[in-house]
Amino acid sequence: MAKQVKLTAERRTDTGRSAVRKLKAMGVVPAVIYGAKDTAEPLQVSRRDINAMLSHAAGENILVELEIAGKSRLALVQEVQHAPLGSAILHVDFHAVSMDEMIQAEVPLEPTGTANGVKNMGGLLEQNLRSLAIECLPRDLPDVISVDVSALDIGDAIHVREIQLPSGGTTRVQADLTAFSVLAPTVEEEPVAAEVEAAAGPEVIREKKEEPEAAAATGAKEKAAPKEKEQRK
């Protein structure tokens, strides 16, 4: 299941850009918690604490026990906004949940093992689905869903209906969708001789030029011919 961590948060009264700049200077990140039957509540958390929590997370789904003014609230990290340049955290959204109510989350799919068609036949493993939308209780929410692909030969596939979900979990994704498959290796055919000749283009026969000495001799003979005719007259 997803790891549950504790995090201290404080209620935030000031909003707007100027307030956010002040929080940033203080090493604090603005946040909000919403969901369940309560209205959205602005919060603020320590940048150091939120960075430490995210750096130790095994996946994207993090269950957080928020300590707010001495009261504990269970929440799921819904979204973390980062700065366009760099990895600085700008804002965090928490979704309040209850341990006895079903939640919906996108869980990453992770292949395990090496497919037989890849290992022994030179095939290629193709992952068609990177994550799976599931519905389950918070205590059953996994960090990732591992799928064993070692038995796949070339042409074999694993569909959504064949993936083992967490206890009591369901998915609304179509059961016949392909999650993993093994493709045959691609073989490049050698070009035929005719294709090579066609690619090279037609042969061009150039007229052989006369050598400079031969051309000069020919010109001299043509000039001498009229003189010889005059002498014969």
Side-chain angles (χ1 to χ4, degrees):
M1 62 171 292
K3 184 179 180 181
Q4 185 173 332
V5 298
K6 291 185 177 182
L7 183 67
T8 301
E10 298 177 359
R11 291 190 173 95
R12 177 165 53 96
T13 56
D14 295 335
T15 58
R17 293 184 178 180
S18 60
V20 170
R21 285 196 293 268
K22 291 179 181 179
L23 292 177
K24 183 178 180 181
M26 296 167 56
V28 177
V29 176
V32 65
I33 184 170
Y34 57 87
K37 298 179 181 179
D38 301 331
T39 57
E41 181 179 3
L43 301 174
Q44 60 188 47
V45 295
S46 166
R47 175 175 287 107
R48 181 182 61 184
D49 293 345
I50 197 72
N51 281 333
M53 183 189 73
L54 295 176
S55 64
H56 290 89
E60 298 179 357
N61 298 306
I62 308 172
L63 278 175
V64 182
E65 185 181 342
L66 286 174
E67 292 289 340
I68 309 171
K71 295 183 179 180
S72 179
R73 296 187 66 181
L74 186 64
L76 185 68
V77 176
Q78 190 71 24
E79 182 181 5
V80 179
Q81 298 178 14
H82 294 270
L85 298 177
S87 58
I89 298 175
L90 301 179
H91 194 276
V92 182
D93 289 4
F94 295 102
H95 182 215
V97 298
S98 176
M99 290 300 291
D100 57 356
E101 292 183 2
M102 303 289 279
I103 61 174
Q104 295 181 357
E106 285 277 343
V107 181
L109 290 178
E110 181 181 87
T112 60
T114 303
N116 184 60
V118 174
K119 184 178 181 180
N120 299 315
M121 305 176 189
L124 176 66
L125 178 68
E126 183 175 48
Q127 183 170 353
N128 303 87
L129 295 179
R130 297 291 172 181
S131 63
L132 192 63
I134 68 170
E135 187 176 39
C136 65
L137 291 174
R139 64 173 177 268
D140 299 322
L141 180 64
D143 292 319
V144 296
I145 296 178
S146 299
V147 182
D148 186 6
V149 300
S150 57
L152 294 181
D153 292 327
I154 291 178
D156 290 346
I158 295 177
H159 303 89
V160 170
R161 62 176 176 270
E162 299 166 310
I163 297 176
Q164 185 176 359
L165 301 178
S167 177
T170 59
T171 180
R172 294 184 180 180
V173 178
Q174 295 180 9
D176 59 348
L177 285 182
T178 300
F180 299 93
S181 60
V182 176
L183 306 179
T186 56
V187 179
E188 296 184 1
E189 296 182 359
E190 296 184 359
V192 184
E195 295 179 354
V196 175
E197 293 179 0
E203 183 181 357
V204 179
I205 301 176
R206 300 177 180 274
E207 183 179 356
K208 186 176 180 181
K209 293 183 178 181
E210 291 183 319
E211 296 294 335
E213 295 180 358
T218 303
K221 290 181 179 179
E222 291 179 352
K223 290 180 180 180
K227 292 181 180 181
E228 293 179 358
K229 290 180 180 180
E230 290 179 358
Q231 291 177 357
R232 290 175 182 175
K233 289 180 180 179

